[in-house]
Amino acid sequence: MRYSAAMLRSMTGYGRGEASSGGVTVLVELRSVNNRFRDLQVRCPREYMALEPRVTQALKDPFRRGRVDCFVRRSVTDGAQVVQVDPVLARQYVQALDELKALVPSLAKEQASLSFVLTQPGVLTVTEAEVDVMREWDIVETALAAAIEDMLQMREAEGAALAEDLRRHLTELRGLTAEVELACDGIHDRLYARLDGRIKRLLGDRVDAGRLAQEAAVLADKADVSEEIARLRSHCDQFREALDGGEEPVGRRLEFLLQELHREVNTIGSKAAEHPVSQRVVDMKSVLERMREQSANVE
């Protein structure tokens, strides 16, 4: 069994495994859904209660995150039940019939048939044969391993699709970052021109050129997003490395990087002094939201 394949996995999946030996058949079904942590829920038949810790331990290595429900079912074809006879109770039924005959003479000729005695409550009892659970562990383990492998294949297939979508969104985010950088080019000159126009409309020619340049520089500094863009690109690089590196589990790292990406985009949005930048910030937030929804399903 391969429990540590270095690739992206989804947290949702289904797996089924079955094994038989000596008239005993064990069916194991696994179902997993999203969860920030690892939550293992094992449901075994009464006979296998002693095996639940072993089943739980076997699930810990292949599944690092997500809620995993494990259902173990047991069926037996040979020797599943044992018929037991209570001879004392049977004699008591016969004795009771004899006493009844003595009290009711008309019943004296009636014979207590064997079939009548056997149908009386408690004379025959059917019980489950005693189960040696430790001898059946090999069957359970085989079925469990098959179910784990089955679910891993499904989670990896979904994980590959998630990774492809996340790479596509990451490329879109990089493109929008480049557009923001381009839109911010020359912002100092544009702010200076707008500020100059406003002041001249208010004050006419009584404008201090030095003071105007100083105020324009302050506004340009407040609107400067070069540091945020640099950090955005760095986080995008780390996000791509996490997708390609196969580090396990990678889901939590992706969630952290998305938080940092959101922070930088929000800062750019708060500094945005021009409509083209604000418009692209909205698009970036939309891309990040789609990435967040998909990365929430990554193990």
Side-chain angles (χ1 to χ4, degrees), residues 136-198:
E136 293 186 11
W137 166 244
D138 289 343
I139 310 173
V140 176
E141 187 178 31
T142 301
L144 180 61
I148 290 173
E149 181 68 16
D150 193 27
M151 189 157 78
L152 283 177
Q153 290 180 3
M154 179 177 288
R155 285 167 64 127
E156 288 172 2
E158 292 188 7
L162 283 173
E164 186 62 29
D165 283 344
L166 286 170
R167 291 188 185 98
R168 179 169 53 82
H169 293 321
L170 193 62
T171 299
E172 186 178 358
L173 183 63
R174 287 182 184 276
L176 289 169
T177 302
E179 291 179 14
V180 168
E181 185 176 38
L182 185 62
C184 290
D185 187 38
I187 191 171
H188 179 274
D189 294 337
R190 292 194 296 274
L191 287 174
Y192 183 91
R194 287 201 293 270
L195 185 62
D196 182 43
R198 291 173 185 172

Side-chain angles (χ1 to χ4, degrees), residues 22 74 78-79 94 97 101 126 141 157 176 183 189 212 246 255 282-283 293:
R74 174 182 183 269
D78 298 326
V94 174
L97 285 171
K101 291 177 186 179
V126 181
E141 187 178 31
L176 289 169
D189 294 337
L212 177 62
E255 289 178 4
V282 173
D283 294 337
E293 291 175 355

Side-chain angles (χ1 to χ4, degrees), residues 8-265:
L8 201 71
R9 292 186 186 138
S10 166
M11 279 192 286
T12 60
Y14 171 82
R16 185 181 188 276
E18 185 174 330
S20 300
S21 179
V24 177
T25 298
V26 175
L27 172 65
V28 176
E29 290 184 290
L30 299 176
R31 182 179 65 240
S32 64
V33 294
N34 295 358
N35 195 296
R36 290 191 64 191
F37 308 99
R38 180 173 57 196
D39 181 12
L40 305 177
Q41 300 292 327
V42 178
R43 294 171 178 82
C44 290
R46 177 181 54 81
E47 296 88 349
Y48 286 168
M49 288 183 63
L51 296 181
E52 284 191 13
R54 290 192 179 193
V55 174
T56 301
Q57 185 62 38
L59 294 171
K60 285 184 178 180
D61 185 45
F63 305 117
R64 308 296 179 83
R65 294 181 73 202
R67 176 188 169 100
V68 178
D69 289 293
C70 174
F71 303 91
V72 181
R73 296 180 177 85
R74 174 182 183 269
S75 60
V76 181
T77 56
D78 298 326
Q81 295 179 323
V82 176
V83 179
Q84 295 181 331
V85 181
D86 188 338
V88 175
L89 186 59
R91 285 195 296 268
Q92 289 178 353
Y93 276 117
V94 174
Q95 183 180 352
L97 285 171
D98 290 340
E99 293 175 356
L100 184 59
K101 291 177 186 179
L103 295 173
V104 183
S106 62
L107 297 176
K109 295 181 180 181
E110 297 290 336
Q111 296 293 324
S113 65
L114 178 62
S115 59
F116 172 78
V117 174
L118 292 179
T119 57
Q120 301 311 301
V123 176
L124 294 181
T125 57
V126 181
T127 60
E128 295 290 332
E130 186 176 350
V131 178
D132 187 348
V133 294
M134 294 309 168
R135 292 185 61 182
E136 293 186 11
W137 166 244
D138 289 343
I139 310 173
V140 176
E141 187 178 31
T142 301
L144 180 61
I148 290 173
E149 181 68 16
D150 193 27
M151 189 157 78
L152 283 177
Q153 290 180 3
M154 179 177 288
R155 285 167 64 127
E156 288 172 2
E158 292 188 7
L162 283 173
E164 186 62 29
D165 283 344
L166 286 170
R167 291 188 185 98
R168 179 169 53 82
H169 293 321
L170 193 62
T171 299
E172 186 178 358
L173 183 63
R174 287 182 184 276
L176 289 169
T177 302
E179 291 179 14
V180 168
E181 185 176 38
L182 185 62
C184 290
D185 187 38
I187 191 171
H188 179 274
D189 294 337
R190 292 194 296 274
L191 287 174
Y192 183 91
R194 287 201 293 270
L195 185 62
D196 182 43
R198 291 173 185 172
I199 292 178
K200 284 183 177 179
R201 283 196 300 271
L202 294 173
L203 303 178
D205 295 332
R206 294 174 299 168
V207 179
D208 184 342
R211 180 63 182 273
L212 177 62
Q214 185 180 14
E215 292 295 330
V218 171
L219 290 176
D221 183 63
K222 290 182 179 180
D224 181 29
V225 294
S226 57
E227 291 185 5
E228 286 77 11
I229 289 175
R231 285 194 292 268
L232 261 176
R233 288 187 169 133
S234 174
H235 295 328
C236 285
D237 290 341
Q238 294 177 60
F239 197 95
R240 183 60 182 259
E241 289 172 4
L243 287 178
D244 297 340
E247 177 186 346
E248 290 198 33
V250 73
R252 289 178 181 171
R253 179 163 179 77
L254 296 183
E255 289 178 4
F256 170 76
L257 288 171
L258 282 170
Q259 289 176 1
E260 296 303 306
L261 287 166
H262 269 288
R263 179 176 298 143
E264 301 304 335
V265 170

